[in-house]
Amino acid sequence: MRILITGGTGQLGRDLQRALSPHEVVALARADLDVTDGGSVDGAFAAHRPDAVVHCAALTDTARCEREPGVAQLINAQGAAHVARAAWDARATLIAISTNEVFDGTKGAPYAEDDAPSAVNAYGASKLDGERHVLAAHAEARIVRTSWLYGAGGTNFVDKVLQAARGGRALRFVTDEIATPTSTVDVAHAIGALIERDAPPGVYHLANEGEASRYAWAREILRLGGLDATIEAITTEELRAGGYDGALKPAYSVLANTRARAVGITLRPWREALAAYFARAKVAADG
Ligand SMILES: NC(=O)c1ccc[n+]([C@@H]2O[C@H](COP(=O)([O-])OP(=O)(O)OC[C@H]3O[C@@H](n4cnc5c(N)ncnc54)[C@H](OP(=O)(O)O)[C@@H]3O)[C@@H](O)[C@H]2O)c1
């Protein structure tokens, strides 16, 4: 099977290349497939003639999405529409990646795939519009929502916490934003399984199991990193009073992997996946 990955240079895109390597994989950077440009998307589909597409390309900087909601819409909503239309015209299987941030975080229990989404920030709104465009353009699309991704070589929370601790910077993290840290390696393999099992169309949640606050996640990162730094637990209100003016976040946006489990796809607990990430980094550093 020939599988095309949009956003192939991103953290999930890179791990998908490895996870899908039994197939012929074409991972395209923005320069080769710009999702905001329908002509660029059509050109890439004509050149590579994929059997399946994993659409990862997105503007993931939530603060920038807040400042420039039009750009977020262009990339995350219109871009998804271009890819879905091209995939449908090419009769290609489509997996489009979305986010826990399509939910408002007020349910107080893990979100199932059929819970009603309602975004609280511009990033979530643009991704939710993207989901709707995908489902309208491609009758057999699979939408994969995941959360709090980290992968090797990405700009992610794990590496930011480690850098801040090593740089002696003050560490303050909130206890009232809760979701599930998720390894891009694990999601990439689960996406491979969805494709190979030809799982029924519709929405799937794929996150590592369990839940954590940002504070609990940061503590586990420091523990696994062997760093003895002081870390302060704060609330979102205190964070904002301290000058943080980034995007509003859903308070509790844990995803229940209900439909994936029903087709025999499971992900391990987040602490186990995070320990594996540290083990891989150590192997890479030791050469
Ligand atoms: N990161 C998370 O915590 C998280 C959580 C839940 C869901 N997701 C979703 O998971 C997917 C993958 O996320 P990620 O963390 O791997 O993202 P990432 O590392 O930020 O990578 C995003 C990729 O999209 C590319 N891109 C941006 N604008 C583009 C455009 N106009 N045309 C084509 N490519 C473009 C980027 O290329 P450049 O580097 O050239 O800009 C980059 O390769 C996204 O759909 C995201 O919304 C992410």
Side-chain angles (χ1 to χ4, degrees):
M1 192 186 288
R2 188 178 303 129
I3 305 178
L4 186 152
I5 301 170
T6 72
T9 56
Q11 31 174 16
L12 179 57
R14 280 193 305 274
D15 277 326
L16 274 165
Q17 291 179 51
R18 287 184 276 268
L20 300 176
S21 61
H23 301 278
E24 186 185 335
V25 179
V26 182
L28 297 180
R30 183 205 296 245
D32 300 315
L33 187 166
D34 182 340
V35 297
T36 65
D37 175 353
S40 166
V41 174
D42 290 343
F45 272 72
H48 299 290
R49 306 180 72 77
D51 304 302
V53 179
V54 187
H55 173 48
C56 297
L59 180 61
T60 58
D61 176 342
T62 58
R64 181 161 173 221
C65 289
E66 219 54 40
R67 287 193 308 273
E68 300 177 58
V71 177
Q73 280 288 327
L74 197 63
I75 298 174
N76 295 344
Q78 292 306 319
H82 289 148
V83 173
R85 182 193 38 73
W88 180 252
D89 288 349
R91 302 287 175 266
T93 297
L94 174 63
I95 311 275
I97 312 302
S98 190
T99 171
N100 58 318
E101 296 196 38
V102 299
F103 293 113
D104 63 16
T106 59
K107 183 182 172 188
Y111 283 95
E113 288 83 353
D114 56 2
D115 279 325
S118 163
V120 295
N121 61 35
Y123 169 68
S126 66
K127 294 292 290 185
L128 182 53
D129 285 345
E131 287 189 7
R132 289 174 175 149
H133 288 318
V134 165
L135 294 173
H138 195 301
E140 291 170 13
R142 284 80 169 167
I143 305 265
V144 166
R145 296 189 187 125
T146 187
S147 65
W148 286 4
L149 288 181
Y150 59 90
T155 310
N156 61 54
F157 185 76
V158 179
D159 296 329
K160 282 184 190 161
V161 169
L162 291 173
Q163 278 161 20
R166 290 187 184 122
R169 293 202 288 284
L171 298 173
R172 309 167 80 224
F173 294 103
V174 299
T175 52
D176 56 0
E177 185 197 351
I178 294 169
T180 309
T182 299
S183 156
T184 49
V185 171
D186 290 18
V187 180
H189 283 285
I191 289 169
L194 275 186
I195 295 172
E196 277 151 21
R197 290 174 199 194
D198 196 20
V203 179
Y204 290 82
H205 289 174
L206 292 178
N208 281 122
E209 289 293 335
E211 61 183 58
S213 65
R214 287 272 175 194
Y215 170 76
W217 187 13
R219 279 189 63 124
E220 187 64 2
I221 292 165
L222 295 179
R223 190 186 72 77
L224 288 165
L227 292 163
D228 188 20
T230 306
I231 175 166
E232 189 187 347
I234 58 169
T235 62
T236 297
E237 207 178 328
E238 287 165 333
L239 180 71
R240 289 195 172 274
Y244 174 81
D245 64 352
L248 188 67
K249 295 290 178 165
Y252 184 94
S253 56
V254 175
L255 300 173
N257 302 336
T258 314
R259 291 195 71 218
R261 210 172 296 118
V263 294
I265 299 171
T266 55
L267 286 90
R268 61 188 156 175
W270 72 266
R271 287 177 195 276
E272 231 176 86
L274 188 61
Y277 177 79
F278 275 82
R280 283 192 300 274
K282 184 169 182 327
V283 169
D286 291 348

